[in-house]
Amino acid sequence: MEAVRGISDQELIETPDLSHLDAADYDKVYEPREDSFLFLDALEKDLNLIRLFKPSICLEVGSGSGVICTALARFLGSSSYVIATDLNPFACQTTHQTAEANNSFVSCIQMDLDSMLRMNNTIDLLLFNPPYVVTTSKELRQPREDGSFLHLAWAGGVKGREVTDRLLSHVGQLLSHRSLFYLVVIKENDPEEICNVMACQGFKGEIIASRKVRNELLSVMRFKRGW
């Protein structure tokens, strides 16, 4: 298995094997790209913190190919229950396949964000690589006439924040009183404003990883509550 690059004295988080997927799959499901691998790098840097924290229930919103939640599930093993959600039915199927191909268990449920979950103050660790590209609100209509959901993996609406803000509006109710939340953003999403929104719900936020990719500055933010 290929491992995400990391500091030699750290534990490594293995990049899941995706050889079971092909070009036809990526016509329906978001293919892991620079944002996905930056997310894995950021989680790898925080593995000691995550292990110390011992999360019981983890949730990835918008799992896509399942590369992130499967990597986390492999690292945590049976000590944690990993849940994933995605609006795209093909993504849910693919997430299950990725977990199985990597000898891991992830329970993936088709839904819009966390809309069907009734788990107030239950999630200990939340992961979200949202659709963050600045677009018109019309781009968020779903699905398209051809039945495709793929645009929903990147179209973020005004400021690239329309989907993210829907989750942020109640994330304090979703997460447990001692929790971690990792979020992928770009500069146009206004990370400082996101920090202020989260602070109002009792979270301390900071950027823990960044990378310039073409014309985008990608970052991963980490929020803590109860630490």
Side-chain angles (χ1 to χ4, degrees), residues 86-110:
D86 204 296
L87 185 63
N88 183 347
F90 303 107
C92 293
Q93 179 181 351
T94 303
T95 294
H96 281 300
Q97 292 172 346
T98 297
E100 290 178 1
N102 289 271
N103 300 314
S104 300
F105 178 77
V106 174
S107 178
C108 190
I109 311 165
Q110 183 186 0

Side-chain angles (χ1 to χ4, degrees), residues 3 49 56-57 72-73 80-81 96 99 111 121 124 142 151 177 182 187 202 206 210 225:
L49 173 65
S56 296
I57 302 179
L72 182 67
S80 297
Y81 180 52
H96 281 300
M111 70 179 75
N121 300 127
D124 300 313
Q142 38 124 4
H151 64 292
H177 298 295
Y182 294 87
K187 181 179 178 180
E206 61 181 318
S210 293
R225 180 165 70 173

Side-chain angles (χ1 to χ4, degrees), residues 108-124:
C108 190
I109 311 165
Q110 183 186 0
M111 70 179 75
D112 179 21
L113 300 178
D114 62 320
S115 58
M116 293 172 60
L117 297 179
R118 298 294 181 266
M119 304 181 74
N120 287 353
N121 300 127
T122 303
I123 304 301
D124 300 313

Side-chain angles (χ1 to χ4, degrees), residues 38-39 42-43 46 126-128 164 168 180-186 189-196 198 204-210 218-224:
L38 178 63
F39 205 171
L43 291 176
D46 262 15
L126 176 63
L127 309 172
F128 192 25
T164 298
L168 297 186
L180 293 170
F181 171 29
Y182 294 87
L183 175 69
V184 177
V185 297
I186 58 175
N189 300 154
D190 197 344
E192 183 176 354
E193 184 177 74
I194 291 175
C195 270
N196 292 335
M198 294 297 292
K204 295 180 180 179
E206 61 181 318
I207 292 174
I208 61 170
S210 293
L218 286 165
S219 298
V220 178
M221 305 184 74
R222 179 186 64 207
F223 300 93
K224 295 180 181 179

Side-chain angles (χ1 to χ4, degrees), residues 6-12 48:
I7 300 172
S8 59
D9 60 352
Q10 285 184 318
E11 290 186 277
L12 299 180
N48 289 335

Side-chain angles (χ1 to χ4, degrees), residues 1-148:
M1 294 286 183
E2 177 190 2
V4 177
R5 296 182 302 278
I7 300 172
S8 59
D9 60 352
Q10 285 184 318
E11 290 186 277
L12 299 180
I13 187 167
E14 291 186 346
T15 301
D17 180 9
L18 298 177
S19 61
H20 58 287
L21 303 179
D22 57 25
D25 294 306
Y26 293 131
D27 284 338
K28 300 178 180 178
V29 176
Y30 184 75
E31 181 176 1
R33 297 176 185 170
E34 289 88 349
D35 53 349
S36 310
F37 298 118
L38 178 63
F39 205 171
L40 286 172
D41 285 345
L43 291 176
E44 180 175 82
K45 291 178 182 178
D46 262 15
L47 286 184
N48 289 335
L49 173 65
I50 293 171
R51 187 183 290 280
L52 177 66
F53 175 46
K54 298 180 180 178
S56 296
I57 302 179
C58 307
L59 170 65
E60 181 181 17
V61 173
S63 59
S65 68
V67 65
I68 303 298
C69 55
T70 296
L72 182 67
R74 291 195 65 183
F75 173 72
L76 293 173
S78 60
S79 65
S80 297
Y81 180 52
V82 179
I83 306 168
T85 70
D86 204 296
L87 185 63
N88 183 347
F90 303 107
C92 293
Q93 179 181 351
T94 303
T95 294
H96 281 300
Q97 292 172 346
T98 297
E100 290 178 1
N102 289 271
N103 300 314
S104 300
F105 178 77
V106 174
S107 178
C108 190
I109 311 165
Q110 183 186 0
M111 70 179 75
D112 179 21
L113 300 178
D114 62 320
S115 58
M116 293 172 60
L117 297 179
R118 298 294 181 266
M119 304 181 74
N120 287 353
N121 300 127
T122 303
I123 304 301
D124 300 313
L125 175 58
L126 176 63
L127 309 172
F128 192 25
N129 183 3
Y132 51 69
V133 176
V134 178
T135 67
T136 65
S137 296
K138 291 182 180 179
E139 285 287 342
L140 303 182
R141 293 177 180 171
Q142 38 124 4
R144 287 185 169 168
E145 291 182 0
D146 62 358
S148 171

